[in-house]
Amino acid sequence: MSDGGVHGREKLGEDGVHGRELYARLHVSPDASDEDIKKAYRVYAQVYHPDKYQSHQMQDIATENFQRIREAYEILSDERKRQIYDIYGMEGLVSGLELGPKLNTPEEIKAEFERMKQRQEEEKFAAHVRPSGSWLATLSLPQFLKGGGIMKGMVMSSEVQSHVSRKDTIVLGGNMAVSGDSGGGAATAMFRHQISSASSMEVVASAGLRSLLGFNTSRHLSLHSTGTMGISVSFKDGSVNLENTWTRQLSESSSGNIHLILGADPNIAVGWQRKEERNSAAGELKFGPTVFGATGHYTHHFSSKSHGRIGGRIGSNALEFEIGGGRRISDYSTIRMLCSLGFEGIFWKFELHRGSQKLIVPVLLTRALSPLVATAALVLPSSLYAFLKVCVIKPYYRKRENQKILDKRQKTLSQVLEARAAASNAQTLLQNVANRKQKKQAERGGLVITKAVYGNLKGHSEKEEETTLGIDDELPLPILDVTIPLNFLVDDSGQLKLHEGIKKSGIMGFCDPCPGEPKQLEVSYTFRDHPYKVVVDDYGGLQLP
């Protein structure tokens, strides 16, 4: 059900939870008792019942709003329908759950809804294809300055994963590596079958530089542990490799694993990962007859968009330390710049991560460990990015986002105008009662709502609307005056309460003036003849005074 009286399906909010519009219509808490719901319905019925009005126009307005109130009451007063609505909103009701078998508990309702959703999702599996890949291009500045080519080597890998059924997956992939005048590649095919919710099996075949045939199986050993066993046969020399991996969840934020390989090149690796809200770290220790080494990295997220990273690698044939950071530049893309020092020299590394695709470009700056070059590799690219961000990137994205807002407002213009008209009609019938309450509160120095606006308050300013967005007179402002409905909601004791977790656009006399944009409610009021102002988020609770 859209806001402002336009009937339809209730949509999910920005946080993924439906707006509980039916509770907003009756102005009751999601925990309201049956008696509270009946009482709220009677209050609104006294205002919106068509028999209270003489003119046909007012009767039509009252009939429309009375139907909305009655619809909310009929659903919330029915225990079974209310359970379905509380879990899945109107989507659960219109999907037919209330017409199916008798479901008594929320668990039964949820299970049945999930089965219905699963049947719908199964139809999409066959067409579900997910590609991934990585490209690593190593450049050498010293080689280029000596008259050689700048390209030192390249590694490319690509993979396409396709669900052929709910339990079966086919993965096709390949990789290619070039270094100087030599190179090689391989093609791989894998079939994965989900035996049960706790176990799966894989068959892998690879042709090319590493031709082999392998079989893997994995199983959840316990609630926190998983084990994988595999065997592979090399077509090149006939060697057989056995692999075992054990993974265990050590805590809510950390896990560990042990990887054992027995065969032509036996080794064992012990790894550890930890991921928290702002920090993540990982490390691995690997040793065997021909290899010994340790790797690790630590990442700190300064904000939801930027992070710093420190990493290192040490072993029998490696010694490297790297430091740098990255930033998320869109919902799906992240860039990272790092400076690394090691036996091979000083590298500046650029990484672009977009979805499941990665582009990594290490550039060898010098083979000598020069502090000046290392500092320049770390500072100059970051400074250049900061300059471009402030002077080029931010203005570009700000202009693009403003244009998106303008386009969206133009696209939803008819919907918003219809919702505003419905909200205005609802306020017309509330006005007499709201005026009486306001006058009564003013006489005794109680709570009086002097001005209340709802909508995109941060995005609304006359200067921004005129200069940045260039909005013409045909587009309404992204805010709505809701002074009348809030005065109506002030109770006899002189208090106003808006329940937390309920989207405010569902309140009678409200509507959504800017669909898809963040919204807030700003209330200016007087209490005991003193002025106050408060701002609350769309789903936030409010208690006045």
Side-chain angles (χ1 to χ4, degrees), residues 159-231:
E159 182 180 280
V160 176
Q161 183 177 139
S162 177
H163 293 277
V164 295
S165 70
R166 188 168 60 89
K167 293 186 176 182
D168 298 326
T169 303
I170 292 179
V171 180
L172 300 176
N175 61 78
M176 180 185 69
V178 178
S179 180
D181 297 330
S182 62
T188 304
M190 183 187 72
F191 172 77
R192 180 187 299 121
H193 175 70
Q194 193 73 31
I195 301 172
S196 67
S197 59
S199 61
S200 64
M201 56 164 284
E202 296 177 351
V203 178
V204 182
S206 178
L209 190 61
R210 293 180 65 251
S211 299
L212 57 83
L213 179 65
F215 174 81
N216 301 316
T217 180
S218 64
R219 182 174 179 81
H220 293 291
L221 305 176
S222 67
L223 183 62
H224 303 290
S225 301
T226 302
T228 301
M229 294 186 297
I231 181 172

Side-chain angles (χ1 to χ4, degrees), residues 432-450:
N432 289 335
V433 178
N435 289 343
R436 288 200 299 268
K437 287 188 175 185
Q438 185 178 17
K439 183 178 180 180
K440 182 179 179 181
Q441 291 294 325
E443 289 174 351
R444 63 184 189 184
L447 176 64
V448 176
I449 309 299
T450 56

Side-chain angles (χ1 to χ4, degrees), residues 464-478:
E464 182 181 57
E465 295 290 341
E466 293 174 359
T467 62
T468 307
L469 295 179
I471 292 180
D472 54 38
D473 296 335
E474 295 181 358
L475 290 178
L477 296 177

Side-chain angles (χ1 to χ4, degrees), residues 441 444 447 489-497 543-545:
Q441 291 294 325
R444 63 184 189 184
L447 176 64
L489 294 178
V490 176
D491 60 25
D492 295 336
S493 63
Q495 291 187 333
L496 171 65
K497 183 177 182 180
Q543 178 80 48
L544 298 180

Side-chain angles (χ1 to χ4, degrees), residues 71-145:
E71 179 186 38
Y73 173 72
E74 288 177 349
I75 292 175
L76 297 183
S77 61
D78 185 303
E79 181 179 0
R80 186 158 170 263
K81 289 183 178 180
R82 183 178 177 182
Q83 285 182 337
I84 296 172
Y85 178 78
D86 284 346
I87 298 173
Y88 291 109
M90 291 304 294
E91 183 181 2
L93 293 171
V94 301
S95 65
L97 278 177
E98 78 281 10
L99 301 177
K102 182 66 176 178
L103 304 171
N104 296 316
T105 66
E107 289 76 16
E108 292 176 345
I109 294 171
K110 186 174 182 179
E112 177 62 20
F113 186 83
E114 291 298 333
R115 281 193 290 269
M116 294 174 61
K117 296 283 286 185
Q118 185 177 0
R119 287 194 294 269
Q120 296 173 359
E121 291 297 326
E122 286 178 359
E123 298 175 357
K124 302 178 182 179
F125 266 114
H128 182 56
V129 175
R130 184 169 55 192
S132 62
S134 64
W135 293 264
L136 186 147
T138 304
L139 309 181
S140 175
L141 187 60
Q143 181 177 294
F144 176 74
L145 295 176

Side-chain angles (χ1 to χ4, degrees), residues 265-290:
D265 186 17
N267 63 79
I268 184 171
V270 180
W272 171 83
Q273 302 85 33
R274 183 178 181 88
K275 187 174 183 179
E276 298 175 333
E277 183 178 357
R278 300 183 69 91
N279 303 304
S280 63
E284 183 182 67
L285 178 64
K286 186 175 184 179
F287 50 91
T290 60

Side-chain angles (χ1 to χ4, degrees), residues 9-31:
R9 178 175 299 182
E10 182 173 339
K11 295 179 174 61
L12 295 180
E14 290 83 353
D15 55 1
V17 180
H18 69 81
R20 299 183 182 272
E21 182 185 342
L22 300 186
Y23 289 101
R25 289 188 198 177
L26 296 180
H27 189 55
V28 293
S29 166
D31 300 323

